[in-house]
Amino acid sequence: MLFQVALLPAGADWFVFNATDSLQGGQTVRRTNLSLGEFPVYVRAGSIAPLAATPVQPSAAPGGLLAVQVYAGGDAPFALVADDGITTAGAARRTRWAWSAAGRPPTWRVSGPAAFAGGNDFTSLRVALFVANAPAVARSTVHTIGRGGSIKM
């Protein structure tokens, strides 16, 4: 039997990754009967998790979809730093993300190069909003990243 024990720090609520299931912090969680392919991950409420929508390989064509997961429950700033993936002294692009628990939409602002020659640039995004114990995840349509913007959820 496979099992997992995790201590969720106090002072915040926690989500099961990629789900709306919410747990209170300050407790030890024991999960049993896990499958070999299951790796339990917990995300602090008020977090932003940017993920490649598909695996990124150095040989991949430029462009791609960025999946941005927002876990409600607090303000969430985040900076995503990207480089050309080839050089060690190249310019970096920074995408600053913000989510407000006060109901303002997810926003982003990009500084640095608009694109990298031959790089694995994220050119579009889709936001998934996880609200504690909601019956479903709210998902946006696909948007062009450009130099910045916001998405009404």
Side-chain angles (χ1 to χ4, degrees), residues 116-136:
F116 296 111
N120 294 314
D121 299 339
F122 292 112
T123 56
S124 58
L125 65 96
R126 177 181 294 137
V127 173
L129 176 60
F130 295 81
V131 176
N133 304 312

Side-chain angles (χ1 to χ4, degrees), residues 10-111:
D13 289 334
W14 296 84
F15 284 85
V16 174
F17 176 73
N18 211 29
T20 61
D21 301 335
S22 178
L23 302 166
Q24 188 175 15
Q27 66 172 315
T28 300
V29 177
R30 180 181 171 97
R31 294 189 54 200
T32 58
N33 297 326
L34 299 176
S35 69
L36 286 175
E38 188 176 4
F39 187 79
V41 175
Y42 301 93
V43 181
R44 184 180 178 138
S47 294
I48 296 175
L51 307 167
T54 58
V56 177
Q57 302 296 327
S59 61
L65 178 65
L66 181 66
V68 179
Q69 294 187 344
V70 176
Y71 292 87
D75 293 350
F78 182 82
L80 176 66
V81 180
D83 61 24
D84 65 8
I86 300 168
T87 64
T88 58
R93 178 178 58 236
R94 286 177 175 72
T95 306
R96 298 189 192 294
W97 300 91
W99 156 260
S100 169
R104 290 189 297 275
T107 62
W108 69 96
R109 183 175 34 108
V110 178
S111 62

